[in-house]
Amino acid sequence: MQTLRVALGTKSYRIVVGAGAMHHLAAYLRRAKVSSRIILITNPIVLELYGLNLKETLNQSGFDVAVLSVPDGEEFKSLESAGKLHADMSEALADRNTTVLALGGGVIGDLAGFVAATYMRGIPLIHIPTTLLAQVDSSIGGKTAVNHHKLKNNIGVFYQPRAVFSDISALKTLPDCHISNGLAEIIKSAVIGDRTLFGLLMRHMSRLKEGDERLLESAILHAAAVKARIVSRDEHDTGIRNTLNFGHTIGHAIESVSSFKVSHGNAVAIGMASAGRIAAHMRLLSAHDLKCLTSVITDAGLPTSIPDINPQDVLAAIKHDKKAVNGMVKFILPVRIGKVVITNNVTQDMISKVLTE
Ligand code: NAD
Ligand code: GLY
């Protein structure tokens, strides 16, 4: 079990990573002297796999746990679900000292985080991420949100958890496509800020994919540390936190043009490879580093280009990106493995060129 810290002054918190991390929660809650009332927010899949067991452990330690289960799926990350959770929490007599446990992937984390942030103007929140993506990305940094009016994450608040418990054992039941989504974010973290992690990925990708716990713990810790460092410097995403969008500008456009048939991980992988090719054309990135980036993505079983999508459609979707200013979009480009720059100097011709390569 290893621990790292997200340094945010009085809002600082610990991330505990390791096999069985979830079972350290009861001891943590006792030490933290939290109130005995707990609201466990999860979905039916994760409840069955881990939630019931966790509830039992917490009950045995003297905590009174009310389980609130939200149906599985992105469409339930909504204001309606949040309202229902608020009502169920009132019914369960949750008060200002009640702690919310968010047990699940990024959907549950974002929704339960939003609910904890807004119930009685904010009550304690602990993330227990159970997907690889949630362990390396969404549980860290305090972005909470629901989707609304056909727009993704457009209602939300920054709200930091009190702690994060990333239990690597939970990844054993995670379907392969969700392991790939997480691997794409780990590659992202390596490229934006951790050459050592990138080296680990180059050497050990196949064992990581097989679920080697020692390697997974190391990769998750490194990736979480990259995000923790960036969030500590720019909690509210006004500057350097934008670099966490590496691969996501083109990635989000591909997801939307494919009507979400291309998974998030695949889309981000194509986005990262495309950003690498743009950087190489602009003579910002060496041919050697581009080759390393492309081969790590391929080794992870992720794609580097889009066969069945019209690049012009992707270009049109990029122009509608909510972060676009006068049709120019902020791009995060790698200048070497472990370092990226933020630029809005990428032309549409350049984007078309790399998408057709
Ligand atoms: P998800 O939460 O939908 O989980 C993926 C699937 O895996 C679901 O069906 C879930 O029920 C299941 N699952 C979860 N844990 C499991 C386990 N251990 N074993 C078996 N099945 C399990 O998807 P996700 O990829 O974790 O999260 C995506 C969401 O995260 C999106 O809504 C996205 O907007 C959000 N996100 C937020 C941030 C942030 O900073 N807040 C960052 C990135 C993504
Ligand atoms: N996932 C991007 C961020 O947390 O800023």
Side-chain angles (χ1 to χ4, degrees), residues 43 45-46 49-50 72 74 77 104-108 110 130-131 133-134 137-138 140 143-144 152-153 170-171 173-175 178 181 227 241:
N43 72 29
I45 296 174
V46 182
L49 287 168
Y50 307 105
D72 186 33
E74 181 75 34
K77 204 177 101 175
V107 166
I108 287 295
D110 281 11
T130 59
T131 64
L133 178 139
D137 192 351
S138 60
I140 306 160
K143 280 189 180 174
T144 76
K152 200 163 148 62
N153 295 332
L171 302 177
T173 53
L174 194 64
H178 292 294
N181 287 345
K227 180 146 187 190
R241 190 164 175 171

Side-chain angles (χ1 to χ4, degrees), residues 270-291:
I270 297 165
M272 291 190 290
S274 305
R277 291 197 290 269
I278 292 172
H281 281 304
M282 292 171 75
R283 300 187 183 285
L284 294 170
L285 184 71
S286 70
H288 174 263
D289 279 2
L290 174 61
K291 192 159 169 260

Side-chain angles (χ1 to χ4, degrees), residues 93 165 213 285:
L93 304 179
F165 286 80
E213 283 195 346
L285 184 71

Side-chain angles (χ1 to χ4, degrees), residues 139-154:
S139 65
I140 306 160
K143 280 189 180 174
T144 76
V146 293
N147 307 321
H148 188 57
H149 208 57
K150 295 189 182 154
L151 293 171
K152 200 163 148 62
N153 295 332
N154 73 325

Side-chain angles (χ1 to χ4, degrees), residues 6-7 33 47 60 150 292 324:
V6 185
K33 296 192 170 49
L47 176 63
Q60 281 167 8
K150 295 189 182 154
C292 291

